[in-house]
Amino acid sequence: MNEADVREQLATVQDPDLGDDIVSLSLVNDIDVDAEAAVVRVSLALGAPFSPHESEIAGDVRDALADSPFEVELSASIPDDLSADEQVLPGVQNVIAVASGKGGVGKSTMAVNIAAGLSELGARVGLFDADVYGPNVPRMVSAEERPQTDGETIVPPEKFGVKLMSMDFLTGEDDPVIWRGPMVHKIITQLVEDVEWGELDYLVMDLPPGTGDTQLTILQTLPLTGAVIVTTPQEVALDDAVKGLRMFGKHDTNVLGVAENMAGFRCPDCGGFHEIFGSGGGKALATEHDLPFLGGVPLDPAVRTGGDDGDPVVLDDGETADAFKLIVENVANNAGVVRRREASEKR
């Protein structure tokens, strides 16, 4: 067996999202056939760890080489054109912004459950509560430990395997944050640069609602893989969600999809299903703008209880937990599509 033989076998492996095989798409970084050790080492351009579709690709590669007498060793990386000194977050593979056009749609709940769900899959995850004026992620995960610092760098605490940073850690209890735009820009930039995030597969950013200074700072400062737009089914939320979509579009940021909160309520007494905020709005929004629909989460008292008690619903069992888990998988899959497409187009 030689490199050409391996490449021929790998050409039978299809990318489930990009519509071609991984060799034609240039998603094979390197092939090393070590005859002496009877090992074939294959490096793949996969950029979303624990994405179900990328795990599927890796499994198909192993199957394609299964008849070989050689052991197969796989690795995954997407080479970065920037040097380490030029990278803003050199140890972070994917930065995912969770945004909404308006408040009250459950954006922070979605961010917390996406982060906890990715960690539950096995990924290395950070959660940056960038909602400067209304930070509540620490309460939603019952983060009692505070960040540690030596005066120069900040070591974030962890909860549910997720590294956490929030303005709530840096202000007094119940103290309002009254800052103008330049100060917001300064503190967000400083937190990004001074926090020791380490090696992360995903950094989830919980943005404040709307399209203001914080969002602009993050769009101009961080290498976003993509954004998740959170909405509820009713028209007033959808109108504002469109503004968020346009903000990301103007800054050439990929939108990974639309997630819908409060998508109906199942009465625990009568078993009836009530569409309190309307029906299908998030899916219609995604269809209208040619975006993926990530999934809908029902209006469930367990979500409110989990947010108050610090237990993300995605870590539980049941219909609502499954809805969050589907969104987590879709976010990871779509992040992988973005990264693989970028890698393919560069070659």
Side-chain angles (χ1 to χ4, degrees), residues 98-109:
V98 180
S100 65
K102 68 186 296 294
V105 298
K107 170 188 52 61
S108 294
T109 296

Side-chain angles (χ1 to χ4, degrees), residues 212-260:
D213 291 318
T214 304
Q215 292 87 336
L216 186 60
T217 294
I218 288 170
L219 286 168
Q220 293 175 338
T221 305
L222 298 182
L224 292 182
T225 302
V228 173
I229 302 296
V230 182
T231 186
T232 50
Q234 75 266 40
E235 292 295 329
V236 67
L238 297 172
D239 289 345
D240 289 335
V242 171
K243 296 175 184 177
L245 288 174
R246 289 175 179 165
M247 174 185 68
F248 290 111
K250 287 183 178 180
H251 289 83
D252 297 323
T253 299
N254 295 291
V255 175
L256 303 179
V258 176
E260 185 178 84

Side-chain angles (χ1 to χ4, degrees), residues 100-237:
S100 65
K102 68 186 296 294
V105 298
K107 170 188 52 61
S108 294
T109 296
M110 190 66 68
V112 165
N113 280 276
I114 288 173
L118 288 169
S119 178
E120 181 76 358
L121 289 176
R124 300 167 298 177
V125 184
L127 176 57
F128 189 170
D129 182 3
D131 193 344
V132 174
Y133 301 108
N136 41 33
V137 164
R139 172 185 288 275
M140 297 177 74
V141 296
S142 292
E144 298 176 358
E145 184 183 352
R146 313 297 285 186
Q148 303 297 312
T149 180
D150 58 7
E152 294 184 1
T153 60
I154 301 171
V155 179
E158 290 190 25
K159 196 68 185 284
F160 305 111
V162 177
K163 294 183 177 181
L164 304 170
M165 180 48 59
S166 171
M167 270 304 303
D168 190 57
F169 291 140
L170 308 179
T171 58
E173 186 176 356
D174 299 327
D175 285 347
V177 176
I178 307 172
W179 289 342
R180 294 188 184 275
M183 188 62 182
V184 172
H185 176 89
K186 180 179 179 181
I187 194 67
I188 290 293
T189 303
Q190 186 174 351
L191 284 178
V192 168
E193 294 176 350
D194 292 349
V195 173
E196 290 187 11
W197 292 109
E199 298 293 322
L200 294 180
D201 300 314
Y202 301 93
L203 176 59
V204 179
M205 307 280 297
D206 178 22
L207 303 190
T211 56
D213 291 318
T214 304
Q215 292 87 336
L216 186 60
T217 294
I218 288 170
L219 286 168
Q220 293 175 338
T221 305
L222 298 182
L224 292 182
T225 302
V228 173
I229 302 296
V230 182
T231 186
T232 50
Q234 75 266 40
E235 292 295 329
V236 67

Side-chain angles (χ1 to χ4, degrees), residues 28-101:
V28 180
N29 295 326
D30 187 45
I31 297 171
D32 175 33
V33 180
D34 187 338
E36 184 175 344
V39 173
V40 175
R41 301 181 183 90
V42 180
S43 173
L44 301 172
L46 303 180
F50 299 95
S51 148
H53 286 185
E54 293 203 349
S55 297
E56 178 185 328
I57 291 173
D60 289 346
V61 167
R62 292 188 182 279
D63 289 344
L65 301 175
D67 292 336
S68 163
F70 286 53
E71 182 182 351
V72 179
E73 294 182 359
L74 299 184
S75 61
S77 67
I78 293 184
D80 198 314
D81 294 336
L82 299 176
S83 67
D85 292 339
E86 295 175 306
Q87 295 178 33
V88 179
L89 292 166
V92 178
Q93 289 196 47
N94 297 284
V95 182
I96 297 174
V98 180
S100 65

